[in-house]
Structures are given as structure tokens and as C-alpha cells.
């Protein structure tokens, strides 16, 4: 019987094709070492254009003030906070794949964890822009840092969830960055050793921190990965919980609800996995990595999408039921008139959210749909449209009609500079992702090699014989041991 770690034939291979260690190195290094393709340049230039649009929008915001946005006395939070919560949610799948699935020893994470971790870092960078520039007087942003100062009684409010956001998101970003970069070290050393150009050897030599692949280096690498996974696991739950406290700790009808923390966390994982699917389906095609990001990976991630989508659906129905059951007329008005009523100004947004987030993912109960690349790509975009509208519905429909009809807002729609700011964060995200895919391996070579002999296509074929052996054949084959 094979001495490799056994894996059932029911599980599909995670590395397709007749691969050995050398072939894996060649396949994953090729996109980094080759010249950028025309497709890469087109995508990169479009991303830079969007980023420039965002910079101009921020310039208008800082120069002329928040009045450039269509916020008013009733709707003080609009597109900006909607986009902040949306981007924070996008980043959650990377940490879940990296940390929780590492602790649970899930082999399928190895093909997708590097890109998902990078996505987390870039998404949190985008999210952080919104609270900073929403301050208006951004040069006073350092006021949120709790450090000894000479401002007398002017001190940060530790009771404010907005301050908790600062701590949670900065911690989340730091741990995610360390996790992503420490995982890169072995692969950067491989690129350093293969480099032919002097600048590449210098760049990857500095970036790899003198990695030699010695036993001691691997031992410390494994220990650090486990420690960071242990630190990051609570962050998966705590970061979006704290973001939900921005709303749940208020007394605004539609916000003041205890279901928000688990509801926000499930929604964040839901939207995060959808964005991972969007990126990886394109990446695997453009960089010819179909043998490493396989149908099995896509199938498993779609199972998580249908699970978290169902949890989000239950949360929607629960908060609707509790609003009715509580007999608090203001709470019930926020749901019945502002959301569920299709003829209300934003009724259409509520039903679009329900359709995208609750109904559409149910298609993934069918195995054929989970393994269909076109359906998966379309659904991944649809889910993130729905999750954006979820945040929009929570924020805007809860505040655009106040207790006094005289203060009810007219129909809120974003200004060109609000749209430009949002588009600019897409530019920042994709510019970073294009640069990452060009200068760093999108797939973790070292981790793929680790699972090759139990999940590789050619090695699993050898296991088929072992699985079909009778007890007598097994005893006879191993009698000499």
C-alpha cells in the first residue's frame, strides 16, 4: 500500500495533470517572470484611470467640503458608509480561508489562499479611505488616535463604536498583512534564486529576508503561521461585529437590533467569497492556472456561498418578524413602510437585496450549477451587488424618514463625486491586485507542493488501487513489514 497520506477517492484532485515539484514551480513562476500580456496592460490602465477619478473626487471633497456630496440634515450617512461596510465585508473571506481553514487543516485552501489574503489587504485599504475622507477636515484625522496630548479635556470617546472601528480595522489589517507576507517568504526566495536580471535578484533578495529553506526556517515559519492563524481567527468574527455596533448601539429604528453582529459576519463571509470567485475565475483563465485553481475549489466555495446566503436570509426574516412582534410602532414603520412597501421611495432596493442575496444563491444546491464557471461568475457579481444594496437599505431606509414628517428627506441619490470616490476605490483595489499578480506568485507554491502527494491527480490514481484492495491482498502486500 502507498505510504502517502491517504485521501478518499470521493474527493476530487486539487492539482490536475501529471505534476511534479519542478513543474509546479515552472507553472506558478511563469506569469511572474514573463512580460505582462496585453490583457494585463488593458486592465491595469483601466484601474489607474478609475484611481485617478477617485483622486479627483477626493480633491473636490477636501477642497470644497462634504457639501460636494448629496448628504443632508436627515441622511448624514449615505454612499460613503455603505461603501465602507461593503469593502470591510469583502475582506473577510481571505482571513477565513487563511486562518480558520488552516487551523482545520483543509487542503483545498492552498490553491486560493494567497489571492484571497491579498484581496483582504486591498479591500481593507479601500474601506479605510471612507471614514478618513468623510471627516472633511482630514488634517485633523490624528485626533482619533488615543495618545497623551496637550488638548486638555479633548480626548477620544472610548464608548463610541466608531473608535472601536479604528482599533479593530487597524489590527485586522496588521495581522492580515503579516499573515500574507510571511506566507510569501518561501516563494519569494524561489523567485530570487531563479532571477536572471540584477534588479529582480536584488528585489526578491531583499523581500525574502534571507530565506534559505533550512529546517529551522521552516520550523519557525510553521510556528508563526499557527500563531497568526490563532490571532486572526477571532478577528474574522470580531471585526464585522464591531462594524455592526456602529448601527446596533444606536437608538435609530431599523438599526437598534441585537441580531446585527452574527448577521453582519455571515454577510461579510458571503460577499467575501463571492469576490474571491470573481477574481479567481478571471485569474485562473488569464494566467493559465486552471490546473491549480480547479473546479473542486470553485465547488467548495459555492457551498460556502449557499450556506452563508441562507444564514443572511434567515437574519432578514428574523429582523422583519421581530420588528412586527415587538409592537414598537417606530421599528415596525421602518420595516413595513420604508423597506417592505414596494411603493415607498426605496422599496425597490429592499426587494433587489432579497432577490440577489437570498433567492439567487439557492441555485447552488444543484451540483451542476456549482461547477458551472459561467453561472458561478455571474452569481459572484450578483451576490456583491446584493450585498451592497443590503448595506444601502440598512443605512438609508432607516434614517431618511425621521420621527417628524417635516424633517423627512427628499429622495437621496449620490453626487458625481460620491460615485467617483467609490469608483476610485475600485481603481485602488484592482491596481494593487494587478501589481500583485505581476510581481508575486498568485498561488502558494510551497503549500501546493505540500498537498501534491495526497491531492495531486497522478498520485490519487495510485490511491485508487489501494482503495479497491481486499483485506487479503493488503495483508499479503504488507506481510514483509
Amino acid at each position: 500500500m502507498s505510504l502517502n497520506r491517504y485521501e478518499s477517492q470521493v474527493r476530487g484532485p486539487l492539482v490536475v495533470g501529471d505534476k511534479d515539484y519542478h513543474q509546479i514551480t515552472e507553472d506558478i513562476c511563469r506569469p511572474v517572470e514573463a512580460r505582462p500580456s496585453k490583457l494585463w496592460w488593458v486592465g491595469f490602465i483601466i484601474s489607474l484611470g478609475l484611481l485617478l477619478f477617485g483622486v479627483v473626487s477626493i480633491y473636490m471633497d477636501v477642497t470644497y467640503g462634504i457639501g460636494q456630496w448629496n448628504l443632508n440634515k436627515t441622511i448624514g450617512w449615505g454612499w460613503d458608509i455603505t461603501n465602507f461596510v461593503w469593502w470591510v465585508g469583502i475582506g473577510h473571506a481571505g482571513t477565513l480561508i487563511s486562518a480558520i481553514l488552516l487551523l482545520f487543516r483543509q487542503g483545498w485552501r492552498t490553491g486560493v489562499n494567497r489571492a484571497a489574503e491579498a484581496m483582504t489587504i486591498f479591500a481593507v485599504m479601500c474601506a479605510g479611505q471612507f471614514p478618513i475622507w468623510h471627516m472633511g477636515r482630514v488634517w485633523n484625522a490624528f485626533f482619533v488616535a488615543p495618545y497623551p496630548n496637550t488638548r486638555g479635556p479633548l480626548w477620544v470617546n472610548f464608548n463610541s463604536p466608531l473608535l472601536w472601528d479604528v482599533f479593530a480595522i487597524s489590527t485586522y489589517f496588521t495581522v492580515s498583512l503579516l499573515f500574507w507576507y510571511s506566507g510569501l517568504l518561501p516563494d519569494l526566495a524561489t523567485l530570487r534564486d531563479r532571477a536572471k536580471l540584477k534588479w529582480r535578484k536584488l528585489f526578491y533578495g531583499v523581500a525574502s529576508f534571507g530565506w534559505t529553506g533550512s529546517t529551522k526556517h521552516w520550523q519557525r515559519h510553521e510556528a508563526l503561521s499557527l500563531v497568526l492563524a490563532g490571532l486572526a481567527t477571532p478577528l474574522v468574527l470580531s471585526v464585522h461585529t464591531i462594524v455592526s455596533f456602529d448601527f446596533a448601539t444606536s437608538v435609530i429604528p431599523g438599526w437598534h437590533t441585537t441580531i446585527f453582529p452574527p448577521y453582519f459576519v455571515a454577510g461579510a463571509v458571503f460577499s467575501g467569497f463571492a469576490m474571491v470567485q470573481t477574481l479567481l475565475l478571471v485569474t485562473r483563465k488569464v494566467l493559465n492556472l486552471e490546473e491549480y485553481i480547479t473546479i473542486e475549489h470553485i465547488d467548495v466555495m459555492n457551498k460556502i456561498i449557499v450556506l452563508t446566503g441562507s444564514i443572511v436570509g434567515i437574519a432578514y426574516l428574523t429582523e422583519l418578524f421581530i420588528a412586527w412582534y415587538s409592537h414598537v410602532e417606530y421599528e415596525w414603520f421602518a420595516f413595513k413602510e420604508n423597506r417592505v412597501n414596494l411603493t415607498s421611495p426605496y422599496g425597490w432596493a429592499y426587494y433587489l437585496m432579497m432577490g440577489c442575496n437570498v433567492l439567487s444563491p439557492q441555485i447552488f444546491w444543484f451540483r451542476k450549477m456549482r461547477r458551472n464557471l459561467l453561472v458561478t461568475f455571474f452569481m459572484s457579481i450578483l451576490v456583491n451587488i446584493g450585498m451592497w444594496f443590503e448595506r444601502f437599505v440598512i443605512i438609508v431606509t432607516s434614517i431618511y424618514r425621521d420621527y417628524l414628517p417635516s424633517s423627512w428627506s427628499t429622495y437621496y441619490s449620490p453626487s458625481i463625486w460620491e460615485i467617483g470616490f467609490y469608483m476610485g476605490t475600485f481603481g485602488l483595489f484592482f491596481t494593487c491586485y494587478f501589481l500583485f499578480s505581476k510581481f508575486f506568485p498568485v498561488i502558494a507554491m510551497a503549500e501546493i507542493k505540500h498537498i501534491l502527494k495526497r491531492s495531486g491527480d497522478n498520485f490519487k490514481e495510485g490511491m485508487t488501487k489501494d482503495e479497491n484492495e481486499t483485506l487479503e491482498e493488503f495483508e499479503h502486500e504488507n506481510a514483509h513489514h
Side-chain angles (χ1 to χ4, degrees):
M1 185 173 182
S2 169
L3 296 176
N4 298 330
R5 178 175 164 184
Y6 175 75
E7 184 174 278
S8 171
Q9 292 307 294
V10 173
R11 294 182 182 276
L14 296 176
V15 182
V16 178
D18 187 16
K19 303 293 181 186
D20 57 21
Y21 292 146
H22 174 69
Q23 189 61 47
I24 289 173
T25 304
E26 290 293 327
D27 289 346
I28 296 175
C29 287
R30 189 184 303 115
V32 181
E33 293 171 342
R35 287 182 176 277
S37 64
K38 286 182 181 176
L39 209 56
W40 185 92
W41 277 113
V42 169
F44 185 63
I45 290 167
I46 292 171
S47 301
L48 279 177
L50 288 174
L51 181 56
L52 190 61
F53 186 21
V55 170
V56 172
S57 301
I58 290 171
Y59 169 79
M60 294 296 292
D61 165 36
V62 173
T63 306
Y64 299 103
I66 297 296
Q68 294 297 303
W69 297 353
N70 279 349
L71 302 179
N72 52 54
K73 65 177 183 178
T74 310
I75 300 178
W77 282 0
W79 264 48
D80 49 331
I81 303 300
T82 301
N83 299 334
F84 162 70
V85 180
W86 187 77
W87 275 118
V88 174
I90 291 291
H92 265 56
T95 314
L96 188 140
I97 290 171
S98 309
I100 295 179
L101 298 185
L102 172 66
L103 296 178
F104 281 101
R105 299 288 189 236
Q106 294 295 302
W108 66 268
R109 63 179 280 282
T110 55
V112 299
N113 66 329
R114 176 69 54 72
E117 289 165 17
M119 186 194 79
T120 293
I121 294 161
F122 306 149
V124 173
M125 285 165 56
C126 293
Q129 304 304 311
F130 291 97
I132 290 170
W133 299 108
H134 193 192
M135 292 177 185
R137 295 182 176 91
V138 71
W139 48 90
N140 289 332
F142 65 92
F143 275 35
V144 301
Y147 65 93
N149 61 70
T150 57
R151 295 194 291 270
L154 191 58
W155 192 250
V156 292
N157 180 9
F158 285 102
N159 292 326
S160 170
L162 299 177
L163 183 66
W164 307 344
D165 272 350
V166 174
F167 297 146
I169 290 171
S170 57
T171 306
Y172 185 49
F173 179 76
T174 306
V175 172
S176 298
L177 185 65
L178 287 171
F179 206 179
W180 172 72
Y181 197 80
S182 63
L184 268 170
L185 290 176
D187 293 357
L188 293 175
T190 301
L191 288 168
R192 173 200 65 199
D193 296 340
R194 291 168 57 91
K196 294 180 174 62
L197 298 174
K198 193 172 181 180
W199 73 266
R200 291 180 73 91
K201 194 171 277 292
L202 178 63
F203 173 70
Y204 291 116
V206 172
S208 61
F209 288 164
W211 176 276
T212 62
S214 67
T215 305
K216 180 59 75 176
H217 280 188
W218 276 112
Q219 185 183 10
R220 286 173 177 161
H221 182 267
E222 292 285 338
L224 177 63
S225 297
L226 286 174
V227 169
L228 289 174
L231 288 172
T233 297
L235 286 174
V236 174
L237 305 175
S238 69
V239 171
H240 227 56
T241 296
I242 289 171
V243 169
S244 77
F245 287 167
D246 293 350
F247 310 101
T249 56
S250 72
V251 292
I252 305 291
W255 289 0
H256 187 66
T257 171
T258 52
I259 200 174
F260 267 15
Y263 163 15
F264 269 53
V265 171
V269 174
F270 181 51
S271 60
F273 268 93
M275 184 60 97
V276 170
Q277 295 278 51
T278 306
L279 288 178
L280 289 183
L281 284 169
V282 175
T283 301
R284 73 194 288 271
K285 186 70 177 174
V286 173
L287 301 183
N288 297 316
L289 295 172
E290 290 97 339
E291 293 172 326
Y292 300 98
I293 303 169
T294 66
I295 298 295
E296 285 300 315
H297 292 100
I298 290 156
D299 187 5
V300 174
M301 287 193 285
N302 282 335
K303 288 177 183 176
I304 293 173
I305 286 173
V306 74
L307 169 67
T308 49
S310 302
I311 293 171
V312 167
I314 291 168
Y316 292 161
L317 297 177
T318 303
E319 65 173 358
L320 185 61
F321 169 75
I322 293 298
W324 168 79
Y325 188 68
S326 67
H327 285 280
V328 176
E329 58 182 312
Y330 305 110
E331 189 78 18
W332 182 228
F333 181 87
F335 281 87
K336 178 173 175 285
E337 295 299 331
N338 292 355
R339 298 183 188 178
V340 179
N341 182 2
L342 189 56
T343 60
S344 68
Y346 295 107
W348 60 272
Y350 182 79
Y351 287 97
L352 183 63
M353 170 194 85
M354 292 292 276
C356 292
N357 294 346
V358 182
L359 299 179
S360 65
Q362 304 308 317
I363 197 173
F364 286 144
W365 286 107
F366 302 100
R367 187 172 186 269
K368 190 175 181 181
M369 294 294 102
R370 288 198 307 271
R371 301 173 80 87
N372 185 309
L373 300 182
L374 202 60
V375 169
T376 299
F377 186 72
F378 175 73
M379 284 300 307
S380 68
I381 293 171
L382 200 64
V383 162
N384 265 319
I385 291 172
M387 286 308 295
W388 188 92
F389 273 100
E390 179 204 286
R391 279 60 179 252
F392 181 80
V393 164
I394 288 170
I395 291 165
V396 174
T397 64
S398 299
I399 59 177
Y400 83 106
R401 286 178 172 174
D402 207 342
Y403 293 100
L404 296 173
S406 60
S407 68
W408 284 7
S409 171
T410 52
Y411 193 81
Y412 166 76
S413 57
S415 72
I416 185 65
W417 306 121
E418 283 175 276
I419 296 170
F421 190 3
Y422 183 44
M423 292 294 104
T425 56
F426 272 104
L428 175 62
F429 181 85
F430 285 107
T431 299
C432 290
Y433 190 80
F434 277 115
L435 290 172
F436 157 72
S437 66
K438 183 69 205 79
F439 292 103
F440 299 104
V442 174
I443 294 174
M445 279 185 281
E447 296 199 36
I448 286 287
K449 290 172 184 177
H450 181 68
I451 64 157
L452 178 65
K453 290 201 173 181
R454 71 171 187 271
S455 298
D457 204 357
N458 49 344
F459 291 95
K460 284 184 79 72
E461 288 174 9
M463 289 180 186
T464 307
K465 174 179 171 292
D466 298 338
E467 192 171 67
N468 294 329
E469 273 184 346
T470 63
L471 181 61
E472 291 76 17
E473 288 171 335
F474 172 76
E475 288 175 345
H476 176 73
E477 190 178 318
N478 293 275
H480 64 281
H481 288 295

